[in-house]
Amino acid sequence: MTLTDTAPAVMRPHAEDVYAEELALLAEQDDRQRPPGWRLSPQAVVTYLLGDGDRITPKYIGDRRLMEVAVATLATDRSLLLIGVPGTAKTWVSEHLSAAVSGDSTLLVQGTAGTPEEAIRYGWNYAKLLAEGPSPAAVVPSPMMRAMETGAVARVEELTRIPSDVQDTLITILSEKSLPIPELGTEVQAAKGFTVIATANDRDRGVNELSSALRRRFNTVVLPVPGSVDEEVEIVSRRVASLGRALEIPAVEDTATEIRRVVTVFRELRDGVTSDGRTKVKSPSGTMSVAEAISVVTAGMTLAAHFGDGVLRPADVASGIRGAVVRDPAADGPVWREYLETVARERDGWHSFYTAAREQG
């Protein structure tokens, strides 16, 4: 009996596992030139991300040119920095790019205020270090080091949250494509195919701003919020359906109306004006991101499936929207109540939602 025989199904498989059939199909049909170390050609990677209208499902809904620029960057000696406000699919795009380019999205460094230098360079097995002294066997490779050795894509999430002195350990890696190991008098030289995709939050500028030397090593692509209500509705609908399957939520009917309502509320509060441009509204302290809209709808579907009649109704999403909007009760509570009274109350077809939201407080 193997570990696979007894291990439970994972909650969130990696992109290369979920979409293995699509990646295999693209690889089989791909007759274009592939950069060294790549599983697919740049054109096939973009098709994987945006879909082909047939057997390849879209993973990113947005500007094709942005994805072409991102993929073209990875085919050069420059690394890619994806910047955007929360909920613009930076991590999602990073994962799928890694899966399509190198077949492995797991070589990840998670950026935090406490991320140590060893997370980017390497660490030591101290038992072996004490017993044998510095040796290759005592080195504990970081995800970055493993990506360099195998010619894969390394991912760095939330780069600007990493302390500046730790950030700068990337400079030699990105410019020289090598990682010195002075304790052994040697270095790891990157195999062909190695590159780095980093993400950063627009709202974190100034937390640990990138040095000019490090920024020059990246080509920056800014991922925008969805350009229209319909585009955002499609994104939320696809992700909610995917999450519903992964979480095995019982089927819920009539989700389209409430998905559009959630997206409309989030966009209006985010933009500070109603969709018809006639009424200005105050914006709350939260981001009102696409990711939060997906969470609200998923939670509503769970309520409808397990505690309702299997139909997604206004009451199922009202509490979730309020929770997303009112992060600071003192500041955001009045903003939410004003929106309900001046917008939701007067809008055709929104009476049930208004009533349910008012009952939530």
Side-chain angles (χ1 to χ4, degrees):
M1 181 177 291
T2 67
L3 179 63
T4 305
D5 294 328
T6 59
V10 298
M11 288 186 67
R12 188 187 182 283
H14 301 298
E16 58 270 24
D17 299 324
V18 175
Y19 298 99
E21 291 185 9
E22 291 187 17
L23 290 167
L25 176 64
L26 283 168
E28 181 182 343
Q29 298 176 345
D30 189 9
D31 57 1
R32 295 176 181 268
Q33 182 174 347
R34 306 177 188 184
W38 284 38
R39 299 290 186 92
L40 299 172
S41 68
Q43 294 89 342
V45 173
V46 172
T47 300
Y48 169 74
L49 284 169
L50 300 180
D52 65 354
D54 186 17
R55 298 177 65 181
I56 308 301
T57 58
K59 321 301 179 303
Y60 177 78
I61 297 170
D63 186 355
R64 181 182 186 88
R65 193 59 176 172
L66 277 181
M67 292 301 101
E68 291 175 345
V69 170
V71 173
T73 294
L74 299 177
T76 70
D77 63 347
R78 302 263 290 184
S79 295
L80 176 64
L81 176 60
L82 299 173
I83 286 182
V85 299
T88 48
K90 301 182 297 296
T91 298
W92 182 254
V93 170
S94 168
E95 178 183 2
H96 283 283
L97 281 173
S98 303
V101 169
S102 60
D104 186 356
S105 64
T106 67
L107 299 173
L108 173 67
V109 177
Q110 180 59 58
T112 69
T115 299
E117 188 175 305
E118 291 79 8
I120 294 177
R121 299 178 71 239
Y122 54 87
W124 295 97
N125 181 323
Y126 286 103
K128 288 188 176 181
L129 186 65
L130 291 172
E132 306 171 4
S135 67
V139 173
V140 178
S142 68
M144 187 72 61
M145 186 174 179
R146 295 203 303 273
M148 296 178 71
E149 291 173 333
T150 59
V153 177
R155 300 166 57 205
V156 182
E157 286 294 305
E158 302 290 356
L159 178 59
T160 52
R161 291 188 178 274
I162 298 175
S164 298
D165 57 331
V166 179
Q167 288 179 12
D168 286 344
T169 61
L170 282 169
I171 292 176
T172 299
I173 294 173
L174 299 184
S175 60
E176 304 299 327
K177 301 298 187 286
S178 67
L179 174 58
I181 309 178
E183 297 89 345
L184 301 181
T186 186
E187 65 180 1
V188 173
Q189 290 185 298
K192 289 185 176 181
F194 167 72
T195 190
V196 174
I197 304 175
T199 66
N201 184 339
D202 259 357
R203 297 203 172 191
D204 283 344
R205 286 180 179 173
V207 174
N208 290 301
E209 190 65 37
L210 303 184
S211 67
S212 58
L214 182 56
R215 187 173 286 276
R216 285 197 303 270
R217 270 68 182 183
F218 285 101
N219 188 33
T220 301
V221 171
V222 179
L223 297 184
V225 296
S228 68
V229 172
D230 290 341
E231 187 176 298
E232 192 162 343
V233 166
E234 185 177 358
I235 293 169
V236 174
S237 299
R238 287 183 178 276
R239 288 290 292 124
V240 164
S242 176
L243 279 171
R245 290 191 296 271
L247 298 173
E248 299 184 24
I249 298 173
V252 174
E253 299 177 7
D254 194 24
T255 61
T257 299
E258 296 312 315
I259 288 175
R260 183 167 290 273
R261 193 191 317 274
V262 171
V263 167
T264 298
V265 172
F266 274 41
R267 286 183 71 89
E268 290 180 336
L269 288 170
R270 189 168 66 219
D271 296 342
V273 64
T274 54
S275 54
D276 59 11
R278 295 179 179 179
T279 306
K280 290 186 178 181
V281 297
K282 295 177 182 177
S283 296
S285 59
T287 58
M288 302 290 95
S289 70
V290 178
E292 289 167 306
I294 292 167
S295 178
V296 167
V297 175
T298 303
M301 287 173 54
T302 306
L303 283 171
H306 294 297
F307 301 101
D309 59 0
V311 177
L312 187 62
R313 301 188 184 281
D316 297 319
V317 299
S319 60
I321 294 178
R322 184 189 184 281
V325 174
V326 184
R327 299 298 177 84
D328 180 347
D332 299 332
V335 171
W336 178 231
R337 289 191 292 273
E338 181 178 322
Y339 179 85
L340 288 177
E341 298 301 328
T342 61
V343 179
R345 182 180 182 180
E346 306 299 327
R347 186 167 279 165
D348 290 342
W350 281 46
H351 179 71
S352 296
F353 172 75
Y354 168 77
T355 302
R358 286 286 295 172
E359 290 175 353
Q360 297 293 332

